[in-house]
């Protein structure tokens, strides 16, 4: 990987910048990777498409690896380390560049999961991914989700649905908007493409009505600024035993996150 394509550590100073305003270094990387159109599309619509992130041969190997790890299940999580190919995917220069565009310098890998959806897989209702954040959502995007489509994305195949531009609402959809999903389109793309979206845009899944399986690798990146400055993971059950519930809450032991199995 060339220097221009590598990710840099975050700055600790306080910069001022508008969303989608790129540093010279990041702009050069976007130029090199031919991602200017992708950035513009994401800025306008809240989501986008990365074409040809790798070869079709790589896509086939990734699909095989996902099916191997899923082992007959519909999904599997905590994939990094479970097969060597996943480490290659998260180092993909186009993914890293777009993660930085959407989440700032030093984006953190938050989740790496897969899904295998067959005929009859139900629709996923409309939502925004930026959970635990009250509306109005911050101007600067906090998380970004990337779906590597190992199989072609079509509406009948259960592609991700998205309502372009709904990130401008800076809130989750209400129940009526979820039921109506007015303006929703399918993120149609060929096998081996990546569909991504920011944390505010409304999206879901169409149900799958055709034969075969839709195999997808899901990657979520988050802005690093809310990461705990000190790491208290070493405090074990014995230390926590006599502490109040609130202690577990402030250490993040009661939020259902940090999935470890
Ligand atoms: Fe989502």
């Amino acid at each position: 990987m060339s220097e221009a394509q590598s990710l840099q550590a975050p700055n600790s100073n306080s910069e001022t910048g508008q969303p989608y305003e790129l540093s010279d270094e990041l702009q050069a990387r976007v130029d090199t990777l031919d991602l200017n159109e992708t950035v513009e599309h994401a800025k306008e619509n809240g989501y986008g498409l990365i074409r040809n992130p790798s070869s079709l041969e790589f896509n086939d190997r990734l699909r095989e690896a996902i099916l191997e790890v899923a082992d007959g299940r519909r999904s599997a999580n905590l994939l990094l380390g479970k097969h060597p190919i996943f480490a290659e995917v998260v180092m993909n220069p186009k993914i890293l560049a777009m993660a930085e565009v959407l989440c700032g310098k030093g984006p953190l890998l938050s989740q790496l999961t897969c899904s295998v959806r067959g005929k009859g897989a139900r629709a996923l209702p409309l939502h925004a991914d930026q959970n635990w954040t009250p509306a109005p959502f911050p101007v600067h995007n906090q998380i970004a989700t990337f779906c590597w489509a190992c199989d072609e994305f079509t509406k009948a195949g259960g592609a991700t649905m998205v309502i372009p531009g709904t990130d401008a609402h800076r809130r989750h959809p209400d129940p009526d908007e979820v039921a109506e999903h007015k303006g929703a389109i399918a993120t149609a793309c060929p096998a081996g493409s990546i569909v991504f979206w920011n944390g505010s845009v409304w999206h879901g899944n169409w149900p799958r009505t055709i034969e075969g399986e839709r195999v997808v690798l899901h990657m979520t990146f988050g802005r690093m600024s809310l990461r705990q400055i000190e790491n208290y993971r070493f405090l074990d059950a014995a230390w926590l035993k006599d502490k109040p519930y609130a202690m577990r809450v402030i250490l993040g032991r009661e939020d259902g996150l940090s999935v470890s199995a």
Side-chain angles (χ1 to χ4, degrees):
M1 190 183 296
S2 74
E3 184 70 20
Q5 293 177 345
S6 64
L7 208 61
Q8 298 186 338
N11 296 333
S12 57
N13 63 356
S14 50
E15 291 179 88
T16 300
Q18 296 302 312
Y20 295 97
E21 191 178 301
L22 311 186
S23 67
D24 292 345
E25 185 279 324
L26 181 55
Q27 181 61 61
R29 218 170 341 134
V30 164
D31 291 342
T32 304
L33 295 166
D34 197 18
L35 287 172
N36 280 299
E37 233 176 81
T38 304
V39 171
E40 275 309 304
H41 190 277
K43 186 178 175 180
E44 287 299 310
N45 300 282
Y47 78 102
L49 187 63
I50 300 176
R51 296 172 204 279
N52 308 315
S54 191
S55 65
L56 284 178
E57 183 271 332
F58 184 88
N59 182 66
D60 291 345
R61 281 196 291 124
L62 176 60
R63 190 179 194 278
E64 242 173 68
I66 290 172
L67 290 173
E68 184 187 317
V69 170
D71 195 23
R73 296 169 296 174
R74 288 176 54 196
S75 64
N77 58 34
L78 213 72
L79 294 184
L80 206 52
K82 288 188 175 163
H83 189 289
I85 201 166
F86 299 128
E88 282 189 68
V89 173
V90 296
M91 289 292 103
N92 181 286
K94 291 185 178 180
I95 296 175
L96 291 179
M98 289 312 301
E100 186 170 334
V101 169
L102 293 163
C103 295
K105 228 174 196 180
L108 299 177
L109 179 66
S110 183
Q111 190 174 30
L112 188 62
T113 68
C114 62
S115 65
V116 180
R117 303 178 89 229
K119 186 179 180 183
R122 283 181 295 180
L124 179 68
L126 203 65
H127 63 281
D129 282 343
Q130 218 146 236
N131 293 313
W132 308 285
T133 300
F137 293 151
V139 171
H140 281 287
N141 183 55
Q142 293 181 308
I143 64 170
T145 303
F146 296 78
C147 277
W148 188 303
C150 293
D151 298 289
E152 183 186 17
F153 264 15
T154 62
K155 184 176 177 181
T160 301
M161 70 159 78
V162 66
I163 307 183
T166 39
D167 48 337
H169 296 314
R170 291 169 60 189
R171 61 172 176 80
H172 292 279
D174 68 28
D176 289 341
E177 289 163 334
V178 172
E180 201 180 359
H181 51 273
K182 190 179 168 190
I185 59 168
T187 54
C189 64
S193 311
I194 296 171
V195 176
F196 67 89
W197 50 89
N198 65 31
S200 301
V201 81
W202 302 352
H203 65 282
N205 267 349
W206 299 101
R208 185 176 177 91
T209 57
I210 57 174
E211 298 295 336
E213 287 174 327
R214 190 204 82 156
V215 177
V216 173
L217 182 70
H218 306 256
M219 291 157 271
T220 301
F221 285 85
R223 195 170 281 280
M224 63 75 57
S225 56
L226 296 182
R227 184 179 177 192
Q228 286 164 291
I229 294 170
E230 296 183 325
N231 182 344
Y232 284 107
R233 295 302 301 174
F234 67 91
L235 293 172
D236 59 13
W239 188 87
L240 282 162
K241 191 166 165 275
D242 300 323
K243 306 294 184 293
Y245 177 80
M247 181 65 83
R248 298 184 58 81
V249 172
I250 67 167
L251 293 179
R253 306 291 175 94
E254 293 293 337
D255 54 24
L257 300 179
S258 290
V259 177
S260 58

